[in-house]
Amino acid sequence: METVLKNIFLQSVESVRMKNLFQNQKCLQVNHTSGRLIVEINAGRCTTPHRVDITGKRCHLVGFGKAVYGMAAEVEAILGTHLVSGILSVPCGTVEKFKGTVQLNGRLEVCEGAKNNLPDDEALGTAIRVKEFASRLSNDDVLFVLISGGGSALLPLPAAPVSLEEKMQIIRMLVKCGATINELNTVRIAISSIKGGKLATTARKAHQIISLVISDIVGDPVDLIASGPTHVSNINYQKAANEIIDQYKLRGKLPKSVEEVLNRKFKDEEEIRMPNNHISIIANNSIAVEAALLDAKKADLHAICLSRTIEGDVEKLSEIYLQLLLAIKDYLHIDPNEENKNLLRKKCETILKDLKYDGDFINNLIEALKEKTKRGLCIVAGGETTVEIKGKGLGGRNQELTLHVLRKLLNHDECHELGEVAFLSAGTDGIDGPTSAAGAVGTLSGLKGCSTKCTLEDFLSTNNSYAFWRDFYPRGHIVTGHTGTNVMDIHILFLPFS
């Protein structure tokens, strides 16, 4: 079953790769109409495409994120000779990884940086050049901005006098406290001179600014994806950042330069009007979840969606998965009459009360348990979790979540009655923390065999999940390398019916 779940995950990744988005879904097209050259952007479920007349204009491109190298190749192929220049900021190793599979024509300068998804001097230098590039544009120019997950680390430009190291220091403090991705990006925006719409305002003299975004945040908030470099608003990020600092009791621990920037007087002005600024989300986690559900059905499984907006601490989430399985186990051993259906419904509502779950999940679950005509039940979820850092081990949220879930099942005698339960958690970008793995998959019996050779708690208490999978359960490691896309994580919980 490990192989089946891996294949389902890989199909979900395939659905949000650039070839599918641009060539099959045609999210960007160029049409010749009545002697005019029209760019058409089709974003997801949007029924009315956004059209821009680029006749006689010079097209330029800037991009930053884990997915923009492949995005840029597709945009370049679509625009052809109309694209004259641009700069890309991509993760270290990207060019080598996609050598021979992704081809650029030489008009775009590719800069690598942000090793291990952390801002560095290389990424800072690229960010400075991107801002200078945008400042030189005029009404004769159209700027395409490609944005994806990882873009925030690849576009670091702290507001003076904050240094890059001081910015990273406050972010590390927040991560250690368990801050969410939204909270981290809010603080990043507050102390940046390029995020939070500042790139767009720098390029405001351009004829049109067109941002194509691959969302890596729950709910697709364009102001927070890669810290919203082209989303212009009058939100007081300084106030919001100060509230986050106080929430995690970090006041007094900040570098003086950060305190200075956060305490600057906010100009509560009317929102800057930029009718030439357009943002389209062309891919998100929902697409990957739908692809996983489709592939699970092809594998003769009852496939249902738990949530497309999973958030929260991995340890707490693992308890939710455990309790959900226990509720299902109890229901499978009783008469599925209306009274017991309502009992299961109430149990699920209680278990999932802190989770933003799909509105049809409980009804779909009851229907699947009623039929039991397939090999088993496949519960799919998407989103992005967090990990509270307790030790100095090597791991990531996905490897740790899979280990947490299976350990809880192993320690609960009732779960052994469920048969070969399996669980997968993996990142669509192929990178889980500062490791070479995307995530992990395992079965209850597989973990049971490992537990006789090591103490699972030792790995979890030190956040050392990578070492566990590498040394004791290597077939469970999911290693894809950079996938060239990033729409957060996929979780798959499998329960056999026989």
Side-chain angles (χ1 to χ4, degrees):
M1 187 48 62
E2 292 159 351
T3 300
V4 173
L5 296 197
K6 277 185 182 180
N7 287 336
I8 292 172
F9 166 70
L10 292 175
Q11 284 303 309
S12 73
V13 173
E14 198 63 33
S15 72
V16 287
R17 284 187 186 272
M18 299 311 109
K19 181 177 179 180
N20 183 58
L21 294 174
F22 285 90
Q23 297 182 28
N24 298 336
Q25 296 187 25
K26 298 187 183 302
C27 61
L28 178 69
Q29 299 180 79
V30 174
N31 301 314
H32 295 268
T33 305
S34 301
R36 309 300 295 176
L37 193 63
I38 307 297
V39 167
E40 186 173 291
I41 302 101
N42 298 284
R45 299 182 181 87
C46 180
T47 55
T48 305
H50 179 72
R51 295 182 176 88
V52 178
D53 189 339
I54 63 169
T55 307
K57 304 297 182 183
R58 299 183 297 258
C59 293
H60 309 272
L61 185 153
V62 296
F64 25 88
K66 298 173 183 177
V68 302
Y69 192 67
M71 292 173 76
E74 297 293 339
V75 172
E76 191 177 57
I78 292 168
L79 294 177
T81 57
H82 301 289
L83 181 63
V84 298
S85 67
I87 303 172
L88 300 179
S89 182
V90 299
C92 291
T94 296
V95 175
E96 182 62 29
K97 163 69 180 177
F98 296 104
K99 188 177 182 180
T101 59
V102 176
Q103 300 292 333
L104 297 177
N105 65 18
R107 295 190 185 96
L108 304 177
E109 183 178 354
V110 182
C111 306
E112 295 189 343
K115 187 176 181 180
N116 292 328
N117 202 30
L118 295 172
D120 55 20
D121 289 338
E122 286 72 22
L124 174 63
T126 304
I128 292 171
R129 296 185 55 220
V130 166
K131 189 168 184 179
E132 290 176 345
F133 181 89
S135 70
R136 296 194 296 268
L137 301 179
S138 70
N139 190 49
D140 293 325
D141 302 299
V142 173
L143 179 64
F144 287 83
V145 184
L146 308 183
I147 302 172
S148 74
S152 191
L154 286 158
L155 198 73
L157 193 54
V162 180
S163 69
L164 182 59
E165 176 54 37
E166 287 170 331
K167 175 212 166 185
M168 292 174 66
Q169 180 183 342
I170 180 60
I171 296 301
R172 284 194 296 266
M173 292 165 69
L174 287 165
V175 169
K176 192 171 183 179
C177 292
T180 67
I181 184 68
N182 289 16
E183 290 170 334
L184 294 176
N185 282 344
T186 296
V187 174
R188 287 179 178 128
I189 291 170
I191 59 176
S192 173
S193 65
I194 197 168
K195 297 177 170 69
K198 298 182 183 75
L199 176 60
T201 55
T202 301
R204 62 194 306 167
K205 292 181 181 179
H207 174 70
Q208 189 81 199
I209 304 164
I210 301 171
S211 298
L212 304 180
V213 182
I214 294 181
S215 172
D216 71 325
I217 298 183
V218 168
D220 307 331
V222 292
D223 58 324
L224 294 178
I225 300 168
S227 303
T230 58
H231 181 265
V232 181
S233 76
N234 62 349
I235 296 173
N236 190 338
Y237 287 106
Q238 289 162 292
K239 179 182 178 183
N242 276 305
E243 290 172 352
I244 292 167
I245 296 301
D246 290 335
Q247 175 187 338
Y248 291 107
K249 298 179 173 59
L250 296 177
R251 187 68 61 192
K253 301 177 183 179
L254 307 180
K256 291 182 179 179
S257 60
V258 174
E259 289 275 14
E260 178 184 332
V261 172
L262 291 181
N263 289 326
R264 284 175 183 166
K265 186 176 180 181
F266 175 72
K267 296 180 180 179
D268 191 12
E269 299 173 346
E270 186 177 328
E271 181 177 342
I272 299 172
R273 303 296 176 186
M274 289 187 63
N276 62 333
N277 187 34
H278 177 79
I279 303 174
S280 288
I281 292 178
I282 61 171
N284 58 16
N285 187 260
S286 291
I287 294 175
V289 168
E290 290 300 325
L293 291 169
L294 180 62
D295 202 64
K297 291 173 183 176
K298 290 178 180 178
D300 196 34
L301 302 174
H302 284 289
I304 57 177
C305 176
L306 170 61
S307 173
R308 295 169 177 82
T309 55
I310 290 284
E311 290 183 290
D313 179 77
V314 293
E315 190 167 1
K316 293 178 182 177
L317 183 59
S318 66
E319 182 65 24
I320 291 175
Y321 279 125
L322 168 67
Q323 294 304 322
L324 185 59
L325 270 178
L326 291 175
I328 292 172
K329 182 196 76 69
D330 291 343
Y331 182 76
L332 290 172
H333 289 84
I334 58 178
D335 181 20
N337 55 39
E338 285 303 316
E339 181 179 352
N340 287 328
K341 285 181 184 178
N342 288 331
L343 180 61
L344 175 60
R345 183 174 285 106
K346 289 179 180 177
K347 278 187 178 181
C348 288
E349 288 172 351
T350 300
I351 293 166
L352 302 173
K353 62 182 174 61
D354 295 325
L355 204 66
K356 297 174 185 175
Y357 60 93
D358 192 284
D360 295 326
F361 170 72
I362 297 176
N363 287 335
N364 290 338
L365 174 63
I366 292 172
E367 189 63 28
L369 296 178
K370 173 186 173 182
E371 293 181 9
K372 290 196 296 183
T373 55
K374 299 182 184 292
R375 295 167 61 191
L377 176 67
C378 183
I379 297 175
V380 178
E384 186 165 292
T385 57
T386 56
V387 173
E388 183 181 350
I389 298 175
K390 302 174 182 177
K392 297 182 179 180
L394 189 63
R397 61 180 181 268
N398 290 293
Q399 294 162 87
E400 188 159 322
L401 176 60
T402 300
L403 187 54
H404 265 300
V405 170
L406 293 175
R407 187 204 60 156
K408 284 182 180 291
L409 298 179
L410 184 66
N411 292 343
H412 221 288
D413 291 340
E414 292 181 69
C415 292
H416 295 256
E417 303 172 24
L418 291 170
E420 193 69 321
V421 177
F423 185 81
L424 174 148
S425 182
T428 56
D429 60 355
I431 305 166
D432 188 36
T435 76
S436 59
V441 59
T443 64
L444 190 53
S445 64
L447 192 75
K448 187 175 182 180
C450 296
S451 66
T452 62
K453 305 172 186 176
C454 64
T455 304
L456 301 178
E457 184 57 37
D458 289 346
F459 293 96
L460 289 170
S461 64
T462 56
N463 303 112
N464 202 23
S465 56
Y466 177 81
F468 167 79
W469 295 105
R470 180 195 62 202
D471 298 338
F472 294 97
Y473 203 152
R475 73 174 186 270
H477 241 161
I478 300 173
V479 181
T480 63
H482 283 286
T483 62
T485 190
N486 183 19
V487 292
M488 299 181 287
D489 306 331
I490 294 292
H491 302 167
I492 307 173
L493 177 62
F494 169 74
L495 172 66
F497 281 155
S498 60

